[in-house]
Amino acid sequence: MAEQGKAINRRALGRALSRIADASVEEALAGLVEPPARSARRIGITGPPGAGKSTLISGLARRRLDRGRSLGIVAIDPTSPFSHGAILGDRIRMEEIGDDPRLFIRSLASRGAHDGLADNIPDILLTMDAHGFDEVVLETVGVGQAEYGVRLLVDTVVLVLIPESGDQIQAMKAGVLETADIYVVNKADLPGARKIAAELRGVLKIRRRLGATWEPPVILASAQDGEGVGALDEAVERHLEWLASTREPSELRRARARYHLQSLFARRIAEILESVPEILDGSSLAAGYRAALDHLGRRAETGNGRRETSF
Amino acid sequence: MSDTANKTLLRGKRILIAKPGLDGHDIGAKIIALALRDAGAEVIYTGLRKTPRYIARVAVDEDVDAVGLSMLSGSHRELVAETIEELRAADAADIPVFVGGTIPAEDHAYLRQLGVAGIFTSEMRLDDVVAELARALG
Ligand SMILES: Nc1nc2c(ncn2[C@@H]2O[C@H](COP(=O)(O)OP(=O)(O)OP(=O)(O)O)[C@@H](O)[C@H]2O)c(=O)[nH]1
Ligand SMILES: [Mg+2]
């Protein structure tokens, strides 16, 4: 039921996203959005805290809108493990584009998700698809393994690094980091950016796979002054075109289904451990494991969404 | 009120803290945002000098449970009225609006008559603001 070309029904979409974000696993399964025939192209922007991701997205979004596309932005910030509250501050950096009628920005707290993403994020993205956006940008805080989930959820992964990101590049050299499709070294106005970019290019050369037809570009940017944003916009466009010509859609579908199922399982287990604390008091870990499996086999008696969960 | 009791009062609530008007101070808004976060709320903050129309749009896109307007300037009567009107126009009259800051006592009745769900003056303790907000949001 895509609504291509029509004005965004902001109130309906805003509410639908809350419903899905708050859904328990049972509720999420009951309300599952079927992938629409035409899904939005998804661009993931990830990188360490404060790297300039939101500032960069603001500039990138301006250019995507100027290409005549409608755009959704989903920006995730971490939930405080102490209060379960969160400050969702990404949209402050996006004010310059905030008035465009073809743009919709939603801020999400990571809540129970431990991979830089948010509860029910696969369903949230499907809901954005169903509302007919041409493109969706997903902002996540990611370092290291956290990028794995993003990789499966989006089409193009942009990793934003800064002059202080030397350690991360060492980790890439050691092969423990998933690679991105596009690299941005932001804050190029600060010392050290060129050096980091050169190291990064070196590592990418070493890690380049034989016969690979996509060569990840390294872009120096200063998001604050808009520098490098045009190059990023063009790189994203080239990557999306490249994907369209090379990708096997069934492979992608399977990978996304796998992540979706895994995240539902992880949350269901968290729900069980929260609602049946006796499992943790058992004689042995093995017994607790079997008891949890037993509960997993049953259907949840109540659809206890997060607002009702006891803690 | 003890610290631990406060920690869960607003759990699961999404609250927009917005600053309409022209004054350039948002320290009060930031302090309130942090207090709400520490009480478990997910707080969206808009930054300085936002128009009522922009504030209503953010409230709708983010589907918040409440809008808190932080005001220091003298034009709160107009700005609050306009924000409530914009929310209505956006099919979001059901989102309650709270007002905080330096609000002279003689204006309280007028603001309530506009539909404001609660007024928090700058003399109030943060704990009391959180508790009252939690009560109002149920
Ligand atoms: N010097 C410099 N600072 C920048 C640049 N881009 C962004 N910043 C600043 O870096 C800080 C963080 O920017 P954000 O865009 O919020 O970064 P972020 O990665 O989205 O941050 P989180 O979402 O909190 O992880 C802000 O103070 C920006 O003004 C840049 O190119 N150069
Ligand atoms: Mg950000």
Side-chain angles (χ1 to χ4, degrees):
Chain A
M1 273 190 303
E3 298 168 27
Q4 229 71 45
K6 274 201 256 166
I8 307 163
N9 185 342
R10 316 189 84 90
R11 189 74 177 124
L13 175 55
R15 283 180 155 151
L17 291 173
S18 300
R19 232 173 4 255
I20 290 150
D22 292 344
S24 68
V25 172
E26 284 291 316
E27 288 163 347
L29 283 171
L32 216 55
V33 187
E34 282 305 313
R38 183 182 177 285
S39 62
R41 282 172 294 187
R42 298 179 185 165
I43 304 155
I45 312 277
T46 188
K53 300 178 292 294
S54 301
T55 313
L56 206 56
I57 288 172
S58 181
L60 179 64
R62 174 77 271 146
R63 284 166 198 262
R64 306 313 285 176
L65 290 165
D66 288 347
R67 286 179 184 269
R69 319 252 166 92
S70 64
L71 194 72
I73 299 175
V74 176
I76 302 174
D77 272 320
T79 288
S80 154
F82 304 108
S83 67
H84 297 280
I87 297 282
L88 307 178
D90 294 318
R91 70 182 306 139
I92 294 190
R93 311 268 171 224
M94 304 180 190
E95 272 161 6
E96 276 170 36
I97 48 169
D99 282 334
D100 197 297
R102 293 163 302 153
L103 177 77
F104 183 98
I105 305 176
R106 181 59 172 243
S107 315
L108 294 174
S110 61
R111 296 190 176 170
H114 298 300
D115 55 0
L117 295 166
D119 287 350
N120 291 333
I121 188 71
D123 301 288
I124 285 165
L125 293 174
L126 286 175
T127 304
M128 298 295 282
D129 283 349
H131 278 254
F133 291 101
D134 295 319
E135 298 182 354
V136 169
V137 176
L138 177 65
E139 175 180 341
T140 63
V141 175
V143 251
Q145 307 297 335
E147 285 139 36
Y148 175 72
V150 182
R151 153 64 65 209
L152 291 179
L153 286 170
V154 306
D155 299 299
T156 300
V157 177
V158 179
L159 178 58
V160 183
L161 298 170
I162 41 178
E164 300 90 70
S165 299
D167 288 352
Q168 220 172 344
I169 291 174
Q170 288 312 311
M172 279 178 59
K173 205 180 242 168
V176 295
L177 276 194
E178 182 69 35
T179 50
D181 302 311
I182 298 167
Y183 294 85
V184 174
V185 177
N186 192 36
K187 309 200 183 185
D189 50 299
L190 300 181
R194 266 164 214 291
K195 182 163 163 283
I196 285 287
E199 280 178 35
L200 191 52
R201 291 196 179 99
V203 172
L204 291 173
K205 212 177 214 165
I206 297 167
R207 289 199 54 179
R208 191 158 177 221
R209 290 202 195 93
L210 210 62
T213 57
W214 174 257
E215 211 170 320
V218 175
I219 298 165
L220 272 167
S222 189
Q224 214 168 236
D225 321 314
E227 214 171 294
V229 178
L232 172 60
D233 171 60
E234 276 157 30
V236 166
E237 199 62 11
R238 267 192 291 121
H239 187 255
L240 289 171
E241 280 167 15
W242 175 83
L243 274 181
S245 68
T246 56
R247 190 163 59 188
E248 189 57 67
S250 66
E251 233 171 76
L252 177 75
R253 237 188 340 264
R254 282 177 61 88
R256 284 192 180 164
R258 183 192 170 97
Y259 177 82
H260 200 162
L261 262 182
Q262 273 183 346
S263 56
L264 286 172
F265 272 121
R267 284 193 53 221
R268 183 70 196 117
I269 287 163
E271 284 176 5
I272 288 170
L273 293 181
E274 205 169 296
S275 62
V276 198
E278 302 88 84
I279 288 176
L280 302 173
D281 303 330
S283 51
S284 73
L285 213 53
Y289 180 78
R290 276 190 298 275
L293 271 188
D294 197 39
H295 277 275
L296 197 58
R298 296 180 209 163
R299 281 175 62 89
E301 305 76 37
T302 54
N304 58 335
R306 80 166 253 113
R307 284 182 194 216
E308 291 90 48
T309 42
S310 54
F311 47 89
Chain B
M1 169 134 333
S2 84
D3 212 67
T4 43
N6 238 345
K7 259 185 189 153
T8 56
L9 275 179
L10 292 171
R11 187 163 175 191
K13 299 290 186 217
R14 290 168 60 86
I15 300 172
L16 171 62
I17 297 296
K19 252 198 93 55
L22 296 177
D23 72 83
H25 300 279
D26 64 349
I27 186 77
K30 284 179 173 162
I31 288 172
I32 260 295
L34 289 174
L36 300 180
R37 191 265 321 262
D38 290 341
E42 295 174 357
V43 184
I44 294 127
Y45 176 60
T46 64
L48 289 166
R49 302 190 186 92
K50 293 297 165 287
T51 64
R53 176 162 299 173
Y54 182 82
I55 291 168
R57 170 172 165 157
V58 174
V60 164
D61 284 14
E62 300 285 359
D63 188 35
V64 291
D65 298 297
V67 175
L69 299 177
S70 166
M71 328 274 274
L72 292 174
S73 65
S75 45
H76 49 265
R77 292 168 66 104
E78 298 75 20
L79 290 168
V80 172
E82 279 173 41
T83 303
I84 287 176
E85 187 44 45
E86 290 288 352
L87 280 169
R88 190 172 298 135
D91 185 27
D94 55 313
I95 299 179
V97 174
F98 296 82
V99 179
T102 45
I103 316 286
E106 63 264 29
D107 287 340
H108 288 200
Y110 171 76
L111 293 177
R112 292 209 182 269
Q113 175 222 315
L114 286 176
V116 166
I119 299 168
F120 303 120
T121 58
S122 30
E123 301 87 58
M124 276 178 80
R125 294 176 55 239
L126 281 176
D127 273 357
D128 296 334
V129 172
V130 167
E132 200 170 316
L133 194 56
R135 203 172 319 120
L137 297 181

